[in-house]
Amino acid sequence: MQVGKRTGSILESSRRSPELPLWRPVEQHFPRRALASVEDAVRSELAKSEIEATIRPGMRVAIAVGSRGIANVDRIVRTLVEGLRQRGAEPFIVPAMGSHGGGTAEGQTEVLAGYGVDEERVGAPVRASMETVELGTTEGGISVYTDRTAHEQADVVIPVARVKPHTDFRAPIESGLHKMLTIGLGKHRGASTIHTYPLSRFGEVITEVGQFIIGKGRVPFGLAAVEDGNEDTALIEAVPAAGMLVRERELLVLAKEWFPRLPFASADVLLVSMLGKNISGSGMDPNVTGRFPQNSVPAHVELGRLIVLDLTEETHGNACGMGLADITTRRLAEKVDTVKTYTNHVTAQLLDGARLPLVAESDLEALQVAVTTLRRTPSERARIAWIESTLRVGHLWMSEPLWDEVKDSESLRSVGDPQPIAFDAEGNLLLGD
């Protein structure tokens, strides 16, 4: 994205640079629920009699894999491929990510390869296409579309999905297997159709369409993953199609219980190092930041200013969600692929997240702008926090005024002494080891 050059500092009219508080490294403890072996968990699920009975020799199986950064997704998919081949099936991979990857087959293949999901590493070919077929219309009048390749070249489809709270709405079923079948496999056309419905109806629509697809009898089971607060795979379950409606609701309850959150109710400034589609469908998960699009969900944390500093490599320029931040850097702005970003937002019909925030020349200037626009809060008393991304909130930095508010929490511990917020000569944020 081309960003206009500036001839001076935003803050040059100030008599002096704002004084920043000291801060310290802090660790937040989440219960560890990581599986001892992801591979063993997948093998165990495939060996269940009700699951094994659905796979027959010679069966062509489309494994639907999405664009989210699921922990260990390459290992999960590789073991699933191996298990299907051992049972005589012929698996292949189809991208199931709606309009992500710029809405192109090549872009979606690139996204999967970035997660280690390609033929060389998982042992099955990737067959990507944006073409769809219309399966019919639900009783509620919703047109249902699905990936043409999966429909015509496979006997059955197995979605692989992480069950988690959605970034835009609340319902008994949110992100997971039903959404993968409905929006992911619907490609651009299907995703566009679903997104014409208001967010208040999203859970209802995803469930209705997902059950319609399951009712066609071509989804034997789905492979669901749930992660703990440390971004570790805590549960893998092969969910039979007949029980998917009930079980996904139960898994979502677990996912919400285990979901990581910030250890404070409010802060003046939150610095987020990385934004990306591999982190969240919204780039930065609103379930962490409290910045939900169009205030679709009540915020659990209030932020005065939200700063995002950079894009992940895995997002391939898709800066979806950057508009939920107040300030960003030129470094991020110049990496934005507007086609990928805008395609995603136009499909979702949520344009706010595609807006470019105020662009600072450096991390230092971004923080200076943030603390000087807190109205009557002195910059040296600003409650500032830093996280690497909304996937990783176990390790934080907190300014002393914020630490003083939360230091008595049993889930937190200081892992270093107070120190100045440091930057290099180019104004890039420096963090201790």
Side-chain angles (χ1 to χ4, degrees):
M1 174 181 286
Q2 294 295 318
V3 182
K5 297 292 183 182
R6 297 208 309 265
T7 58
S9 169
I10 301 173
L11 302 170
E12 64 183 356
S13 60
S14 301
R15 293 184 178 180
R16 61 182 179 83
S17 297
E19 182 180 349
L20 299 174
L22 300 178
W23 70 353
R24 68 173 68 209
V26 175
E27 286 186 356
Q28 181 176 199
H29 170 74
F30 299 106
R32 294 199 173 275
R33 299 183 171 93
L35 293 171
S37 169
V38 169
E39 290 82 1
D40 286 349
V42 174
R43 294 184 190 109
S44 176
E45 290 299 304
L46 292 180
K48 290 180 176 178
S49 59
E50 67 271 27
I51 299 300
E52 195 164 37
T54 65
I55 304 300
R56 301 185 304 274
M59 179 178 279
R60 300 170 301 168
V61 181
I63 301 173
V65 185
S67 57
R68 299 294 184 264
I70 303 174
N72 304 306
V73 67
D74 53 339
R75 297 165 60 193
I76 293 170
V77 174
R78 183 173 63 247
T79 309
L80 176 58
V81 167
E82 292 171 354
L84 293 172
R85 288 200 188 282
Q86 289 168 2
R87 290 161 176 81
E90 301 172 5
F92 62 92
I93 311 299
V94 291
M97 57 186 78
S99 65
H100 301 174
T104 68
E106 297 78 13
Q108 297 198 346
T109 300
E110 182 181 32
V111 170
L112 291 186
Y115 298 150
V117 179
D118 56 26
E119 183 168 8
E120 179 181 356
R121 289 176 281 188
V122 302
V126 176
R127 300 177 187 172
S129 170
M130 296 305 293
E131 294 187 21
T132 59
V133 296
E134 186 170 359
L135 295 180
T137 304
T138 69
E139 289 186 3
I142 306 169
S143 297
V144 180
Y145 299 92
T146 197
D147 180 278
R148 180 180 293 275
T149 300
H151 184 72
E152 296 181 351
Q153 298 182 24
D155 300 304
V156 296
V157 177
I158 298 174
V160 176
R162 175 179 57 178
V163 176
K164 65 178 287 293
H166 197 275
T167 58
D168 299 337
F169 69 90
R170 289 290 174 266
I173 286 180
E174 298 177 15
S175 284
L177 298 170
H178 280 76
K179 182 171 177 283
M180 173 76 77
L181 293 171
T182 300
I183 295 179
L185 279 172
K187 316 302 281 193
H188 187 276
R189 188 174 186 184
S192 297
T193 299
I194 299 303
H195 281 96
T196 61
Y197 292 87
L199 289 175
S200 59
R201 288 194 59 199
F202 246 52
E204 165 197 339
V205 170
I206 286 173
T207 302
E208 182 176 332
V209 174
Q211 284 294 297
F212 179 91
I213 293 171
I214 291 169
K216 294 294 182 180
R218 299 183 72 248
V219 180
F221 63 90
L223 197 61
V226 180
E227 296 175 9
D228 66 12
N230 301 293
E231 198 196 349
D232 289 324
T233 309
L235 179 151
I236 292 176
E237 185 171 323
V239 184
M244 199 175 291
L245 181 64
V246 172
R247 186 55 179 156
E248 185 166 349
R249 290 172 174 169
E250 294 170 346
L251 292 177
L252 180 59
V253 172
L254 275 183
K256 288 183 175 180
E257 178 185 337
W258 297 348
F259 196 83
R261 287 185 170 82
L262 295 171
F264 44 79
S266 66
D268 296 314
V269 181
L270 176 65
L271 288 151
V272 181
S273 280
M274 291 291 174
L275 172 149
K277 291 296 291 186
N278 58 307
I279 292 169
S280 168
S282 296
M284 297 177 289
D285 197 322
N287 292 294
V288 175
T289 66
R291 293 288 182 94
F292 290 92
Q294 301 179 352
N295 298 316
S296 57
V297 178
H300 61 280
V301 60
E302 294 292 337
L303 302 176
R305 294 286 181 262
L306 175 58
I307 303 171
V308 60
L309 301 177
D310 207 344
L311 295 181
T312 65
E313 290 185 11
E314 294 87 348
T315 201
H316 301 288
N318 188 335
C320 177
M322 64 179 173
L324 300 180
D326 303 298
I327 307 167
T328 190
T329 63
R330 183 173 296 277
R331 180 172 72 257
L332 180 150
E334 292 184 346
K335 293 179 181 178
V336 175
D337 185 320
T338 54
V339 172
K340 292 178 179 178
T341 304
Y342 294 171
T343 296
N344 203 161
H345 277 285
V346 170
T347 300
Q349 300 191 16
L350 292 169
L351 303 186
D352 290 359
R355 293 174 179 168
L356 183 66
L358 183 150
V359 178
E361 293 298 312
S362 66
D363 302 353
L364 172 59
E365 186 178 69
L367 184 54
Q368 289 176 332
V369 170
V371 298
T372 56
T373 57
L374 294 175
R375 298 193 184 276
R376 297 195 61 80
T377 299
S379 60
E380 66 274 14
R381 295 298 305 161
R383 298 171 303 147
I384 302 169
W386 168 93
I387 56 174
E388 178 183 327
S389 73
T390 55
L391 267 183
R392 299 180 178 177
V393 298
H395 179 67
L396 309 90
W397 284 74
M398 291 186 188
S399 68
E400 289 298 278
L402 182 57
W403 172 246
D404 286 343
E405 292 184 2
V406 300
K407 62 184 179 183
D408 292 333
S409 171
E410 293 182 358
S411 67
L412 296 176
R413 69 184 183 99
S414 174
V415 291
D417 296 325
Q419 56 193 273
I421 302 176
F423 301 86
D424 66 16
E426 284 72 46
N428 298 310
L429 183 65
L430 295 175
L431 298 168
D433 295 335

